[in-house]
Amino acid sequence: MIVQKNSTDHQPPEGEGSDLQQEQVQQQEQQERRREEVALAIGQACQDVGFFAIQNHGVDPSIVQAAEQAAQAFFHLPLEQKQAVSFADDDNAVWEYPYGYENCEVLAQGKQTEHIIMQQQQSQAPNQCSTTADPKPPRAFLPDLKETFSIGPYNPQAGMPPRRFPAQPPELEPALTAYYQAMEHLARILLEIMALALDLPRRNFFVDQMDHHLSALRILHYPPLEEPPLPGQWRASAHTDYGTLTILKSNGPGLQLRKDNNNNNNNNNKVDDNDDDHGWVDVPSIPNAFIINLGDLMRRWTNDRWLSTLHRVVVVATDQNKGDDDNDNNNNNNNNNNNNNNNNSSNEVVVVAPRRYSIAYFCNVNGDCVVDPNDLLLPTSSSSSSSSKYAPITAKEHLMAKHAASMGVSTKTKTTTTPPPPTTNTTTTAPLV
């Protein structure tokens, strides 16, 4: 039955309408107070740790499950099929963001290159133009023990390379597309809460920079290991993320974080921290939760008020009597381990570490967004300085500089030898430590 506003036949009894309105107002006030409490908790976590977990996030579990299953189907394909959509490895790769398949990334190289560039800049006299060659990493790296597949934004106005999907499995494209859109929605909610946490005049301060954003989605597979990793080799070596925030869904332990002891410059997070186990904290693996961490752009935008925390993925050993979930040949490992000299046991595969999957959504704002910390320097800021530590930069310039550093080059020195590319136009939260 539809009741017209101007009907006098079905008016509520005297006083009932006002009581209903008062109840609605009270509910709105309660929701606003809860929202402020959540924003306060997130803001404190961003300032103290740079990591937090969210539950009751509203993401459809079927979307998550479909993406996880499609990712597993893709990574079980033969290598040649996965490499059909590989990220380019030629000189032009520096100027293209790494969408597609790869299995030889070394995340720690980016932090080392940034540290070398910073040292070179500090050693130069003022106003002196650098003409030196690209910095070469002083140590050799072993590839991270993982393989990945990435896609970028679907909006052509973002100005990024178009998406490429493999022919198999057919469910990969729709599953990742739906997951990307779900994370895009969740990221906007988080960015609005973060604006509230920073006490910005406009809650849509960050969201307004998301209409042609550069966000990327990456599925990751850490294969089972039949031998212990070599010294200095990791599932994912120590690094920080590039953008505003990352939304991670993982199916197992292994992620660790390490707070920066010096809060003044995130380049103090050096690659040598990979080899030092002091200060690393295990990030709990929480079923049905997302792990959120800030990226370097958000740290820069907040003038180091919030943290972009160094993190890595370590090899988590499994009981050798218990094989990988996908390996049916390990049912009798217990007997085989007690009979190592038995010739029949020589064909058994002992899994040192089980396989691990995860999905990461890297939220990057519009490429033409000018990131200027002065825009966020408010009277409520806890920053000890009233001026910005960083010059303004566009989000895409920042993103591509980070990518170039991960490949061992500086965009500034690269342009002296190679022309640049053509221009193209919730929740309950808790800190983890």
Side-chain angles (χ1 to χ4, degrees), residues 145-218:
L145 298 170
K146 68 180 191 303
E147 56 179 346
T148 73
F149 175 77
S150 304
I151 61 172
Y154 54 84
N155 186 352
Q157 294 182 351
M160 301 299 279
R163 289 180 173 181
R164 295 182 303 147
F165 285 94
Q168 299 294 329
E171 65 269 23
L172 185 67
E173 180 172 358
L176 295 192
T177 299
Y179 190 94
Y180 185 103
Q181 292 173 342
M183 295 300 100
E184 183 181 45
H185 176 71
L186 179 58
R188 285 191 166 98
I189 295 175
L190 291 169
L191 289 173
E192 184 176 326
I193 294 175
M194 288 178 175
L196 180 61
L198 289 167
D199 199 21
L200 299 181
R202 295 186 295 111
R203 290 188 182 181
N204 58 348
F205 178 87
F206 297 119
V207 176
D208 282 348
Q209 302 299 330
M210 288 286 290
D211 58 338
H212 52 278
H213 58 83
L214 309 179
S215 302
L217 181 68
R218 170 176 280 197

Side-chain angles (χ1 to χ4, degrees), residues 105-109 141-142 144 146 232 234-239 271 274 311-313:
E105 184 179 42
V106 183
L107 288 170
Q109 183 167 279
F141 290 102
L142 295 170
D144 293 345
K146 68 180 191 303
W234 309 89
R235 290 293 205 183
S237 47
H239 65 284
V271 67
N274 263 306
H311 53 284
R312 68 185 184 184
V313 179

Side-chain angles (χ1 to χ4, degrees), residues 18-34:
S18 59
D19 290 344
L20 180 60
Q21 291 177 351
Q22 184 177 3
E23 181 180 351
Q24 291 175 340
V25 170
Q26 290 175 346
Q27 290 177 349
Q28 292 175 353
E29 291 176 347
Q30 185 178 9
Q31 290 175 353
E32 185 62 24
R33 285 194 298 269
R34 177 55 182 157

